[in-house]
Amino acid sequence: MRNTRSLLSAFFLLFGSASAFLPLRPMWGSTSSPHPDSSSFSLHLRAALTQLQMSKEDPPKIIISGAPASGKGTQCEIIKEKFGVVHLSTGDMLRAAVAAGTEVGKLAKDYMDNGKLVPDNVIIGIVKDRLAEPDCIEKGWLLDGFPRTAAQAEALEEAGVKADCFLFLNVPDSVLVERVVGRRTDPQTGKIYHMKFSPPEDETILQRLEQRSDDTEEKVMVRLEQFHANEDAVKGKYADISVAIDGNRAPSDVSAAVLAAIASSKAKV
Ligand code: ADP
């Protein structure tokens, strides 16, 4: 009974979510037909189960890359929800380590406060260990902010970690600087606002907003410099699975392109 129920929910889950971005045909054949066509139904059931099997055995493995404030965080929320993958943001992992005062946090703090990259040997081990955990293996993963250097990409390769696609969000530097300096976070909900483009309507929320210590004009210049110094080397490692996406438009337009790119990369796997 439990199996039947989970099979059915998997079926509806697939048609409910996958139909938004996969080229699946309507479930009952012709939309004008008042009754389900049983042969078409079983065909679709088989297709859905094959897809379920495939996704279980080979869950999505995605890398998202882009300059600071290129919109990776917003897109990651959407990808996570659509595909159920584990979101691994190295920036968030490092900030948590700093806040918890761990050895890694102590090593990383000064680099982060100055907008510099944390040394490869500090971050590589953490990411490799995390990717080997059962949830990442079972659900797939979304790497956000890693790899940021050629050495980090090589470390993944040596560990046998292979992604299905490498998404790159393109946004001009001038736009990025404006996005960064106005960016604020609500510490209670984690929601990100922008003082000019998307300020909170609620005065209480406005009062409690926090600014990341590296979200100043001076530090974003250093972060952009570091990003561009490594950009070509990292992109070069993923030329065969790379998809460039224009990130300088409405988040919903960006996410439509992002989801289409992931779906087509899975179709090739
Ligand atoms: P950004 O929007 O600047 O890319 P993140 O939250 O991703 O912000 O990262 C914040 C900081 O964490 C970076 O400026 C850097 O100091 C450190 N960091 C995150 N990921 C890495 C990485 N893969 N390699 C080295 N340092 C990293």
Side-chain angles (χ1 to χ4, degrees), residues 67-69 72 89-92 94-95 111-112 115-118 123 145-148 152 183 212 214 223:
K72 299 187 297 287
S89 152
T90 44
D92 287 350
L94 289 167
R95 275 186 289 278
Y111 292 97
M112 295 178 77
K116 299 235 168 89
L117 288 182
V118 168
I123 187 75
F146 190 98
R148 258 181 228 219
Q152 294 177 10
R183 181 159 71 177
R212 252 170 63 174
D214 58 351
R223 284 155 68 197

Side-chain angles (χ1 to χ4, degrees), residues 124-133:
I124 286 173
I126 303 174
V127 174
K128 280 200 318 196
D129 289 351
R130 188 64 190 86
L131 287 174
E133 284 181 30

Side-chain angles (χ1 to χ4, degrees), residues 89-170:
S89 152
T90 44
D92 287 350
M93 286 157 92
L94 289 167
R95 275 186 289 278
V98 171
T102 64
E103 277 312 304
V104 165
K106 284 181 199 149
L107 280 167
K109 188 174 185 321
D110 279 351
Y111 292 97
M112 295 178 77
D113 283 347
N114 291 306
K116 299 235 168 89
L117 288 182
V118 168
D120 288 332
N121 62 347
V122 174
I123 187 75
I124 286 173
I126 303 174
V127 174
K128 280 200 318 196
D129 289 351
R130 188 64 190 86
L131 287 174
E133 284 181 30
D135 58 340
C136 290
I137 292 168
E138 190 191 317
K139 298 178 187 165
W141 42 260
L142 168 61
L143 263 183
D144 161 14
F146 190 98
R148 258 181 228 219
T149 63
Q152 294 177 10
E154 277 151 23
L156 283 186
E157 200 177 351
E158 276 159 28
V161 175
K162 257 185 91 61
D164 307 323
C165 64
F166 177 86
L167 306 171
F168 188 90
L169 300 182
N170 274 317

